[in-house]
Amino acid sequence: PVSAAAPAAEAWTPPLSTRGRYIVDAQGNRFRLRSGNWDGAQGSWNGSGDRNDPATHHAGQNSNGIPIGLDRVPLPTLLADFRALGLNSIRLPFSNEMLRTTVPVPDAAVAANPALRGRTPLQVYDAVVAALTDAGFAVILNNHTVTTRWCCGLDGNERWNSGRSTAQWADDWVFLARRYRDNPRVVGADLYNEVRRDVLDDPNWGLGDNHDWQAAAQEAGDRILAEANPNLLIVIEGINWTGIPVDGFAHGRPTLTPVRTLSHTLVVSGKLVYSAHFYGYTGPRHSGATGIGETSDLRYQDMSRAQLEQTLYDQALYVSAETGTHFTAPVWVSEFGIGADETGALPRAWFQNMTGYLNAVDADFAYWPLVGWSTTAQGAPGGDSWAMLRYDASGRRSGLLDAGDWRTQPWTALAGAAGRTGQIPVTPAWYQLTTDHRDHNASLRTRATGDWDNGARKAVCPDGARLAGLGHTDGRGLCGTSDLRAPTGGHTVVRDEAYVPPGGDWATGYTKFQCPAGQFLIGYSLRGERVSAALCAPSRTALPAGGRTLWFDRGDNRPPGAPGGEFAYGDYKGQCLPTEYAAGIAFTTRAASRPGPAALLCRPLPPV
């Protein structure tokens, strides 16, 4: 019989994917991430002093570059304790340095797990992944740091490409995703942790330079899905910090706020999850520092419950709450936590409010950290008081599974709440395309055929979607899910009016790139602002002709309610009705006129 202390593993069928704001398993059932962060493999050294001295490591804990606790507790005991906490998933940090470390871990680092002796940190990580997934947990790999050093300040780990190129970072991800490709319970790739300012420069979301986190995440996510494992969830965290934390200087924590105007469209649909971190001692414009780097801005723990909930919504949870938009996706609050020894009224109230809000909005979550040391069974006087589970040198446990821990009640209320369960219906999805700085080809079928308009900026809808809308000036597009495309057959690149039939001029005086009969728009290309070509795909069923001209060169022209949301802020936009398909793009090359898309040919979809 299963004891109350060790509930049965939650039944679920990998792989995981997304439907609207929910993560679902292969059967379409909701899978709410109830996660813990089992850290250590990302590094624990604080950056100065003797690496062999525990005092130079976070909380006096030398992790030896592997998940914490393997020196004190056998793996089966750890996993049973994780299950007793109500967890179904583990966020498992690693460093890029760990992937390359060839020196075996010291025997003492795996004293309670002697089978792991003589293994490198990566081989220990392999064993931990296998043990977790064999026990039924979902594992999400998290690239936490570049070097094996405690995160997160001015530590050389500020960006995914600190000390290396974006391509090298993505190469590491492809390597690791391939390594666990045959383990279906390795379900996700959390691309990088707490992207933030270094000494000189800020990360950004969409500027197209070497610090563009939005673009880098798109690149790595697409490469993982296309080259390594199309089943993985791609987890993209917002930006954790920009600016100089001094009163009078611009500074703040953007988190997921930029997603509203610029979201991600990956080459495999239903795989995007956004994430954000929240700690009470930080704030939307407070770095969390005391002394140097401390500002007069509010911390999350300084806020009333209503203020906190509105702030969390504005910074992150709107992404899942506002359904039917191009940015709608699950939001995983993949780090939050507090100390067992916290006595302050404000931090304690924050934790109660935080867990309450996560439950109220049915969010996915991950506590930081899962495992820590203690010097006594009571967790005193040393070790990491924030850990959910703390183990002394003999393996005796203290922490959240003990009634004396003040965090037990709010945690149990969070982890034990069902939230929405069962089947999640498939709903229409919307995808944003952007040619701001580079191609945006979200179709694996189109990618496989090579460059279809060399030298132009190209945008193509994901496989299983059709082009629904265009912006007039800045190259943004909107796609909607569609089963219209024929399962075989390539595509047609339209560069002239060859497919406009006699007597079929639907935009007099304008150049019209019209799809051949029986085809519909899936993409477009631009040279500068000017339309360069239209990309059309054959339909699996006969398509009605006729239709209407939808102009948008002098104002917005979108369906009531604007399904898909604001996909091209500041631009005039045109969008066919959900009951229509787009069959052509019109534009002008007249002097003093913008040569971007000016009209769409919208035709009725075939009857269902």
Side-chain angles (χ1 to χ4, degrees):
V2 176
S3 71
E10 180 178 334
W12 61 285
T13 308
L16 300 182
S17 56
T18 69
R19 291 183 180 176
R21 60 137 298 178
Y22 296 105
I23 296 169
V24 298
D25 75 355
Q27 307 300 320
N29 291 314
R30 167 76 184 295
F31 188 83
R32 186 182 186 186
L33 293 177
R34 294 180 176 83
S35 319
N37 282 275
W38 191 3
D39 79 301
Q42 85 285 4
S44 56
W45 184 52
N46 283 324
S48 62
D50 182 0
R51 277 181 181 260
N52 295 315
D53 180 358
T56 67
H57 291 256
H58 172 71
Q61 303 173 150
N62 182 354
S63 72
N64 288 289
I66 59 174
I68 287 175
L70 299 176
D71 58 328
R72 299 168 177 232
V73 192
L75 264 168
T77 304
L78 285 165
L79 302 187
D81 288 350
F82 297 173
R83 186 69 66 200
L85 286 169
L87 303 179
N88 62 14
S89 44
I90 301 296
R91 183 174 183 249
L92 200 62
F94 69 90
S95 75
N96 301 85
E97 184 181 341
M98 183 206 80
L99 304 180
R100 295 170 173 78
T101 301
T102 57
V103 178
V105 301
D107 287 353
V110 290
N113 293 274
L116 300 181
R117 286 179 181 168
R119 301 197 189 189
T120 66
L122 179 55
Q123 290 167 340
V124 172
Y125 195 87
D126 290 340
V128 166
V129 168
L132 285 166
T133 55
D134 287 349
F137 291 97
V139 171
I140 296 175
L141 312 170
N142 162 235
N143 187 190
H144 207 79
T145 50
V146 180
T147 63
T148 306
R149 182 178 161 184
W150 182 255
C151 176
C152 292
L154 295 173
D155 55 7
N157 297 308
E158 295 87 358
R159 289 194 307 277
W160 66 97
N161 58 352
S162 294
R164 62 200 169 143
S165 69
T166 296
Q168 288 170 319
W169 167 65
D171 286 345
D172 280 356
W173 260 121
V174 170
F175 162 79
L176 203 62
R178 284 176 176 166
R179 189 176 186 90
Y180 303 121
R181 177 166 47 193
D182 296 329
N183 185 340
R185 291 190 188 269
V186 175
V187 298
D190 183 346
L191 296 181
Y192 202 70
N193 183 73
E194 296 191 9
V195 170
R196 58 199 181 275
R197 181 185 176 88
D198 60 18
V199 174
L200 297 175
D201 296 298
D202 285 324
N204 68 77
W205 193 277
L207 293 185
D209 60 12
N210 192 41
H211 297 173
D212 184 345
W213 171 230
Q214 194 274 344
Q218 177 83 43
E219 179 179 329
D222 282 348
R223 285 195 57 195
I224 290 166
L225 294 169
E227 299 175 30
N229 186 350
N231 290 324
L232 289 180
L233 296 174
I234 301 298
V235 181
I236 301 177
E237 190 180 333
I239 293 176
N240 197 256
W241 189 262
T242 62
I244 300 170
V246 175
D247 284 333
F249 286 79
H251 57 265
R253 193 178 305 281
T255 51
L256 294 175
T257 52
V259 175
R260 185 178 288 281
T261 52
L262 183 59
S263 59
H264 289 86
T265 297
L266 300 169
V267 292
V268 179
S269 298
K271 294 298 178 182
L272 173 65
V273 174
Y274 283 114
S275 72
H277 295 172
F278 296 104
Y279 291 106
Y281 67 93
T282 69
R285 298 187 68 247
H286 196 298
S287 72
T290 55
I292 296 174
E294 186 172 12
T295 59
S296 56
D297 303 294
L298 275 183
R299 298 168 297 181
Y300 296 110
Q301 66 193 32
D302 299 325
M303 298 178 179
S304 68
R305 181 169 187 158
Q307 277 181 303
L308 176 67
E309 292 184 356
Q310 186 63 52
T311 302
L312 295 174
Y313 181 94
D314 292 343
Q315 287 201 282
L317 274 304
Y318 79 90
V319 172
S320 55
E322 297 179 20
T323 55
T325 75
H326 64 84
F327 58 75
T328 302
V331 173
W332 185 32
V333 178
S334 55
E335 284 189 28
F336 75 105
I338 198 167
D341 55 354
E342 179 60 68
T343 58
L346 287 177
R348 281 192 172 211
W350 167 81
F351 190 69
Q352 292 276 2
N353 292 337
M354 183 78 196
T355 53
Y357 185 64
L358 292 174
N359 247 349
V361 300
D362 198 6
D364 301 88
F365 56 87
Y367 186 97
W368 180 284
L370 178 49
V371 178
W373 293 359
S374 67
T375 12
T376 71
Q378 290 72 43
D384 189 344
S385 70
W386 282 50
M388 305 177 89
L389 303 167
R390 299 189 303 282
Y391 301 92
D392 70 8
S394 64
R396 287 179 300 180
R397 188 193 72 215
S398 57
L400 263 166
L401 293 176
D402 306 318
D405 193 314
W406 74 269
R407 304 168 301 170
T408 301
Q409 181 275 324
W411 170 260
T412 303
L414 175 61
R420 180 162 176 177
T421 58
Q423 279 282 312
I424 303 297
V426 177
T427 53
W430 300 93
Y431 309 99
Q432 183 185 44
L433 297 177
T434 171
T435 59
D436 290 5
H437 308 290
R438 55 184 62 80
D439 288 356
H440 192 175
N441 186 349
S443 163
L444 288 172
R445 288 178 66 176
T446 305
R447 284 178 174 221
T449 63
D451 191 338
W452 55 273
D453 191 2
N454 188 38
R457 301 189 332 278
K458 296 165 286 291
V460 188
C461 294
D463 297 324
R466 66 178 187 271
L467 191 67
L470 286 172
H472 176 46
T473 49
D474 288 326
R476 298 282 175 95
L478 182 72
C479 308
T481 45
S482 169
D483 61 353
L484 205 55
R485 190 168 183 177
T488 58
H491 55 240
T492 303
V493 181
V494 179
R495 306 177 192 275
D496 54 33
E497 297 191 345
Y499 301 106
V500 179
D505 186 351
W506 49 275
T508 304
Y510 283 68
T511 304
K512 293 162 287 291
F513 291 169
Q514 182 173 334
C515 294
Q519 298 197 25
F520 61 98
L521 277 172
I522 60 167
Y524 57 95
S525 60
L526 303 168
R527 294 177 190 271
E529 280 192 64
R530 179 178 172 172
V531 179
S532 177
L535 189 69
C536 305
S539 171
R540 60 174 175 77
T541 186
L543 290 177
R548 65 190 178 107
T549 304
L550 183 103
W551 293 99
F552 54 94
D553 55 341
R554 297 177 186 176
D556 269 13
N557 195 348
R558 294 187 288 161
E566 184 60 86
F567 66 90
Y569 273 78
D571 292 347
Y572 297 150
K573 292 164 289 293
Q575 183 178 338
C576 295
L577 292 169
T579 54
E580 295 175 322
Y581 71 96
I585 305 170
F587 64 98
T588 182
T589 54
R590 288 196 307 264
S593 295
R594 308 292 288 264
L600 286 168
L601 175 59
C602 300
R603 289 177 157 171
L605 285 168
V608 176

